[in-house]
Amino acid sequence: MYLECESLWCFLVCAGRKMTNQNVVVSDAKGVAITVTVAAKQNMFSQSVPKPITEAGRGGGCFTIPMNIKVLNVDTEGGAARVNAWVDSLRASSPPRVKSAATPQSLSETVDNNSWSSRHPSAMSMFEQITNASKGKQIVMFLDYDGTLSPIVEDPDRAFMSNEMRRAVKAAAGYFPTAIVSGRCRDKVYSFVKLGELYYAGSHGMDIKGPSKSSKYKNGNQAVLFQPASEFVPMIDEVYKILLEKTRSISGARVEDNKFCLSVHFRCVDEKSWAALAEQVRLVLNEYPKLRLTQGRKVLEIRPTIKWDKGKALEFLLESLGYANSNEVLPVYIGDDRTDEDAFKVLRDRGQGFGILVSKVPKETNASYTLQEPAEVKDFLRRLVKWKRLSNQQK
């Protein structure tokens, strides 16, 4: 039995198998931790976003971790065919770098690009419409990291953000609650950003923590630590060690441990070796049906089968800030990756806020607007801060 997820075959155990209990830890500003057991019932999973547990709620209560996984029956044979399908999907989601200006474009390509741009205009050119929509509302900023705040680099350990970008993010956080939402390990992202006043959602939102510094926003005096996949950590660590060994012979392959999920980077792998890499991942995941596979920009993501993603993390953080079902908030999510589409879709379905895709090339997206590269993200944040500062002065 396999799971179809964003055009990749993903693995899971029979839908009827019970999940073990989840633990959620909530820490107050003084670092006092509470552990709340969350029962995951067989075939009965809530679609609602779990409510953050506040100081007043220490007396008890629980919530369920949503699990809405579409299961597809597939013959257990045909591994080679599945790997070929993977490679085709990887190739389609990893287009070559933008063509140079000297490269001729066909008329149809030009028309398609213009059509896409009209449906997803630049956030800079639509800045006035964005700020007009925020009147009487609190903007909340959600930012991906790789490819959004930092450039995409061959070595993921060297994806450093510039000091200018850090100052722009810090300035934005002075006016708007701001969260970094990344597939990376939360501690790793924090080591890059180094701003204590932000919310951090690592491992695709499976590891969320509030500001380490005092905050003026709703519920801002409480650091919320939410880890819905804590029971999977030993399994993730085990698979990490296996994949390190299995992929050692594939030049350029890199396995990154993000604590609650794994990333298998193939940016530096020769395309001829993609099939071999995909086959190694497939063979390993065959033995771990509680893990699933998704993909991003030249990276395979291995995650627990719980239904939790960047979109769910966005909703959880809005609720943590006191904006559940509120008309007084305007969420803005900026990201460049396929995994950010979960958050873009949430905003579109809510009919509230805007998704902004960072991309130089047309892509299928649920985002409303676009920015071309991290440098434009920096300019957008600076412009937003300047607008807010002037608005406050005119009051």
Side-chain angles (χ1 to χ4, degrees):
M1 185 167 289
Y2 298 90
L3 158 73
E4 187 177 26
C5 180
E6 296 185 346
S7 77
L8 281 178
W9 296 117
C10 311
F11 299 85
L12 76 163
V13 75
C14 294
R17 182 176 295 182
K18 293 183 179 179
M19 296 283 289
T20 55
N21 288 342
Q22 311 278 337
N23 286 331
V24 177
V25 181
V26 180
S27 302
D28 62 17
K30 297 179 181 178
V32 180
I34 319 151
T35 299
V36 180
T37 299
V38 183
K41 298 180 181 179
Q42 181 180 3
N43 292 333
M44 296 177 63
F45 296 99
S46 169
Q47 290 302 303
S48 62
V49 176
K51 297 182 180 298
I53 302 171
T54 62
E55 187 74 22
R58 286 193 175 197
C62 65
F63 54 79
T64 58
I65 300 300
M67 292 272 294
N68 182 24
I69 299 174
K70 178 182 176 183
V71 176
L72 183 66
N73 285 311
V74 178
D75 191 347
T76 55
E77 300 298 324
R82 286 198 300 277
V83 168
N84 289 336
W86 283 10
V87 173
D88 289 342
S89 180
L90 296 178
R91 189 176 292 113
S93 68
S94 306
R97 296 186 181 275
V98 179
K99 298 177 182 178
S100 68
T103 303
Q105 266 190 325
S106 69
L107 179 60
S108 62
E109 285 177 318
T110 302
V111 171
D112 288 345
N113 288 351
N114 289 340
S115 174
W116 186 84
S117 297
S118 67
R119 287 181 285 114
H120 307 287
S122 166
M124 296 296 279
S125 66
M126 301 295 288
F127 187 81
E128 187 174 346
Q129 287 87 333
I130 293 173
T131 53
N132 285 341
S134 72
K135 289 181 179 178
K137 300 178 181 180
Q138 173 66 62
I139 293 176
V140 180
M141 295 297 307
F142 297 90
L143 304 167
D144 178 37
Y145 184 77
D146 292 275
T148 300
L149 300 182
S150 74
I152 296 293
V153 295
E154 291 186 351
D155 183 353
D157 288 339
R158 301 191 62 80
F160 304 121
M161 67 190 300
S162 67
N163 289 330
E164 291 81 6
M165 179 68 85
R166 183 174 292 103
R167 285 193 288 268
V169 173
K170 182 177 179 65
Y175 290 99
F176 320 111
T178 301
I180 308 295
V181 186
S182 172
R184 299 267 204 148
C185 170
R186 176 170 56 82
D187 290 342
K188 184 69 174 181
V189 175
Y190 184 85
S191 73
F192 284 141
V193 180
K194 299 176 182 176
L195 294 175
E197 56 267 49
L198 307 183
Y199 291 80
Y200 289 87
S203 302
H204 299 284
M206 288 182 282
D207 189 8
I208 301 177
K209 189 176 182 183
S212 57
K213 295 183 179 180
S214 60
S215 172
K216 60 185 177 182
Y217 305 114
K218 295 181 181 182
N219 286 354
N221 61 339
Q222 176 179 317
V224 178
L225 182 61
F226 177 64
Q227 298 175 331
S230 57
E231 69 161 296
F232 289 91
V233 172
M235 184 184 298
I236 291 291
D237 184 59
E238 184 176 311
V239 173
Y240 170 68
K241 293 173 181 176
I242 294 173
L243 282 174
L244 276 181
E245 185 61 33
K246 295 290 186 182
T247 62
R248 194 181 303 277
S249 61
I250 301 175
S251 179
R254 185 184 182 101
V255 185
E256 184 177 9
D257 185 356
N258 294 314
K259 189 173 181 178
F260 297 96
C261 60
L262 298 174
S263 297
V264 181
H265 298 275
F266 59 95
R267 179 167 299 276
C268 297
V269 176
D270 189 293
E271 188 171 336
K272 295 177 181 178
S273 298
W274 286 6
L277 179 62
E279 174 66 6
Q280 289 296 343
V281 174
R282 183 187 73 83
L283 290 173
V284 171
L285 288 190
N286 265 340
E287 304 301 319
Y288 294 89
K290 288 187 178 181
L291 300 179
R292 65 188 177 107
L293 188 68
T294 61
Q295 69 182 94
R297 288 179 63 179
K298 291 197 174 179
V299 61
L300 296 173
E301 303 279 4
I302 297 169
R303 312 189 211 175
T305 52
I306 66 170
K307 180 60 177 177
W308 196 261
D309 52 38
K310 290 181 176 182
K312 295 292 185 184
L314 181 152
E315 292 183 296
F316 179 83
L317 283 165
L318 285 177
E319 188 148 353
S320 297
L321 287 163
Y323 292 114
N325 304 315
S326 172
N327 293 321
E328 300 177 356
V329 63
L330 186 82
V332 177
Y333 188 107
I334 307 178
D336 76 307
D337 196 73
R338 177 177 291 193
T339 59
D340 298 309
E341 290 296 328
D342 295 316
F344 295 154
K345 186 176 186 302
V346 164
L347 294 182
R348 176 153 291 189
D349 291 347
R350 288 168 67 104
Q352 183 181 42
F354 303 107
I356 301 176
L357 174 69
V358 183
S359 178
K360 290 184 176 181
V361 297
K363 293 180 180 179
E364 194 173 318
T365 182
N366 285 296
S368 301
Y369 304 117
T370 59
L371 292 167
Q372 289 210 349
E373 57 189 352
E376 276 203 343
V377 175
K378 178 184 64 181
D379 292 342
F380 178 80
L381 293 177
R382 285 175 169 173
R383 188 173 177 184
L384 202 60
V385 167
K386 183 178 179 180
W387 164 80
K388 186 62 175 179
R389 187 182 298 126
L390 291 174
S391 299
N392 289 348
Q393 290 173 358
Q394 293 170 3
K395 289 181 179 180

